[in-house]
Amino acid sequence: MDMKIDFEKSPDGLVPAIIQDYQTGKVLMLGYMNTEAYEKTQQENIVTFFSRSKQRLWTKGETSNNFLHVKEIRVDCDGDTILIHASPDGPTCHTGADTCFNEVNSADYKKILFVNQLREVIKNRKQNPTDESYTSHLFKKGINKVAQKVGEEAVELVIEAKDDNKELFLGEAADLFYHYLVLLEQKNYEFDEVLDVLIKRHAPRP
């Protein structure tokens, strides 16, 4: 995307910059940037604003160390608003809240969204296979091998369940879950379809 920002559209040379958590999608805060703040943000990959109260460049986290690490920058269709996907080091608001809108941006929520990211990676390995990818090799071997791996991992999880080693048990559980997602992709089924079945089963009876 050719990012052309019209800083001259506003008399003060400032454009609003919306900061969004790149993992959860939560809007963290709104600030303003001039040309210098935008260039500094691009160069350092850490969000820097122009502070209207301080009348100077202000890097978010310069006193709290709760920096906002840039993952992606987008500009709206009119070229007068910036959207930054960022990874926050800690609470974004000076009050200690996760966001400046007093919303929760919890690690648990990020973990849930990670499942979707993992699904996208698996889908990509199927559509764009590489020789270095274990997942691509599984898809190349076909449904029998993929299904076999799910069975093997399930057996290994059962074996670990009989012992009392949490680390090994969780490791096998993670292996099973990953191979299960690969199997769903191999069958061209969505994880959401499985969740729909569970939701239907547990829906309140009229």
Side-chain angles (χ1 to χ4, degrees), residues 17 19 21 38 43 45-46 57 63 66 73 92 109-110 117 120 127 132 135 138 143 149 161-162 175-176 181 187 195:
I19 313 301
D21 189 303
Y38 179 67
Q43 292 167 2
N45 282 324
I46 293 177
L57 295 186
T63 56
N66 292 335
I73 299 177
T92 298
Y109 187 40
K110 292 183 180 181
Q117 295 172 5
E120 287 302 314
Q127 297 174 348
E132 298 79 18
T135 307
L138 277 180
I143 183 64
K149 285 299 296 181
K162 296 177 179 296
D175 289 344
L176 175 59
L181 292 178
K187 295 290 293 181
L195 295 180

Side-chain angles (χ1 to χ4, degrees), residues 73-89:
I73 299 177
R74 292 181 175 270
V75 179
D76 81 334
C77 56
D78 293 323
D80 58 5
T81 303
I82 301 170
L83 174 64
I84 297 180
H85 295 154
S87 173
D89 275 339

Side-chain angles (χ1 to χ4, degrees), residues 123-139:
K123 186 184 295 291
N124 182 264
R125 294 294 186 270
K126 181 182 180 184
Q127 297 174 348
N128 304 289
T130 65
D131 292 337
E132 298 79 18
S133 170
Y134 168 75
T135 307
S136 295
H137 283 296
L138 277 180
F139 285 128

Side-chain angles (χ1 to χ4, degrees), residues 2-91:
D2 185 14
M3 297 184 292
K4 295 183 178 179
I5 306 172
D6 188 359
F7 288 99
E8 297 181 0
K9 182 174 287 189
S10 177
D12 57 10
L14 300 178
V15 299
I18 302 166
I19 313 301
Q20 184 179 35
D21 189 303
Y22 85 106
Q23 287 186 309
T24 67
K26 284 285 187 181
V27 174
L28 301 177
M29 67 175 297
L30 170 69
Y32 291 86
M33 290 184 178
N34 59 9
T35 303
E36 292 77 14
Y38 179 67
E39 290 176 350
K40 184 174 170 53
T41 296
Q42 283 189 307
Q43 292 167 2
E44 299 181 357
N45 282 324
I46 293 177
V47 174
T48 292
F49 299 107
F50 180 83
S51 171
R52 293 176 298 172
S53 59
K54 299 179 176 68
Q55 284 296 299
R56 64 170 177 83
L57 295 186
W58 168 62
T59 298
K60 180 68 180 74
E62 64 184 30
T63 56
S64 66
N65 289 322
N66 292 335
F67 297 103
L68 296 168
H69 299 274
V70 177
K71 296 297 182 180
E72 182 182 33
I73 299 177
R74 292 181 175 270
V75 179
D76 81 334
C77 56
D78 293 323
D80 58 5
T81 303
I82 301 170
L83 174 64
I84 297 180
H85 295 154
S87 173
D89 275 339

